Structures are given as structure tokens and as C-alpha cells.
Amino acid sequence: NKEIQEFSSENAMAKFQKGARSSDTAATKDAIRQLPEYQEKMSRYSGHTEMTSACFKALDARGSILQKICELEQDLACGVDKEGNEVTNARLIGQLSQYLYHQREAVSSEELVRLLLLYMSMVDDAYDKILGR
């Protein structure tokens, strides 16, 4: 946000857009000269705003399930939960089986594969533990 504030305070076209119109022809000339830079920056800013909005809409649409999946991924990747406690294999298997069997429709295939691959890469003998051997 600091970059945007600096740009809007330094760019003559940004000042012109904010209402700092001047009858001074030199200021108007500066604003016109800086118009391409202004348009390019505003286009990038608009793109970032649209992407952020799309991310928040996707997050809202998925509800709390996406947050739970992210927390499980974090637990798998780090080996500790958000409180700093070491995660146990039994707890990880319980959470994974919840998504594999009980909440299957709420989780995409890509998410399941990602969770299983993370589990298999982080836990010794994961393949045997998943199959119950």
C-alpha cells in the first residue's frame, strides 16, 4: 500500500484524478505526460484487486472446509499443529480418513491427492499405515 500512496502523491495524473486540478498549464501538461504510466499502474492495481476479490469469493464459497484442509496440510508439512504440539500418526490418519470417507463430496480430488502425497512424504511407512498393514 505504501507504493500506491507514494505513486498517488507523486504522479501528476494521479493528483489530477484526485481533484487537484489546476489552471496551470504546466501542471496539466505534466498530468498528460504521465498519463501512460498512470494507466499502466492503475491497470495492474485493478488486476490485483480483481484477483484478491476472486480469492475471497472462492474462500467464502468453500466455507470452513478449506480452512480445515489448509490446517491439515500445515500439520502434515510441519509435523506440529497450530499450537506447536507434535501431531501423532493416529490423529493424521483420523483426519485423512474423515476426508477420504465421510466428507468426500466436500473435498476435490486434487486436494485429496495433495493430502495423501504430503502424508506419504512425511510419515515413515505411510503406505502400510494407510492400508492398515
Side-chain angles (χ1 to χ4, degrees):
N1 238 350
K2 184 180 179 185
E3 182 182 332
I4 294 169
Q5 290 174 345
E6 286 177 12
F7 176 74
S8 64
S9 66
E10 294 171 3
N11 184 279
M13 189 63 202
K15 291 177 190 176
F16 188 79
Q17 283 292 103
K18 283 184 173 179
R21 291 174 170 80
S22 172
S23 59
D24 181 17
T25 55
T28 304
K29 187 170 112 179
D30 284 343
I32 291 170
R33 191 172 350 150
Q34 292 180 6
L35 181 61
E37 178 190 11
Y38 175 79
Q39 289 174 324
E40 188 265 331
K41 289 254 187 189
M42 293 309 292
S43 175
R44 272 194 298 161
Y45 177 70
S46 175
H48 289 292
T49 303
E50 288 173 18
M51 286 189 287
T52 302
S53 294
C55 288
F56 279 118
K57 285 180 185 175
L59 186 59
D60 287 343
R62 295 290 306 280
S64 66
I65 190 76
L66 189 57
Q67 182 177 353
K68 290 177 183 175
I69 291 170
C70 290
E71 288 175 5
L72 179 55
E73 285 179 350
Q74 189 72 24
D75 292 353
L76 285 165
C78 296
V80 294
D81 61 17
K82 62 184 175 184
E83 286 85 30
N85 301 320
E86 189 172 331
V87 291
T88 63
N89 187 56
R91 180 172 151 216
L92 292 174
I93 288 289
Q95 288 178 307
L96 279 171
S97 65
Q98 182 181 29
Y99 298 123
L100 285 169
Y101 304 113
H102 307 295
Q103 295 182 344
R104 178 62 191 99
E105 65 282 344
V107 182
S108 73
S109 297
E110 292 85 3
E111 290 165 339
L112 282 176
V113 168
R114 196 171 58 242
L115 288 169
L116 288 171
L117 288 173
L118 258 172
Y119 178 79
M120 293 175 82
S121 69
M122 299 306 293
V123 176
D124 294 332
D125 303 322
Y127 185 75
D128 291 335
K129 290 177 182 174
I130 289 173
L131 296 177
R133 294 182 187 170

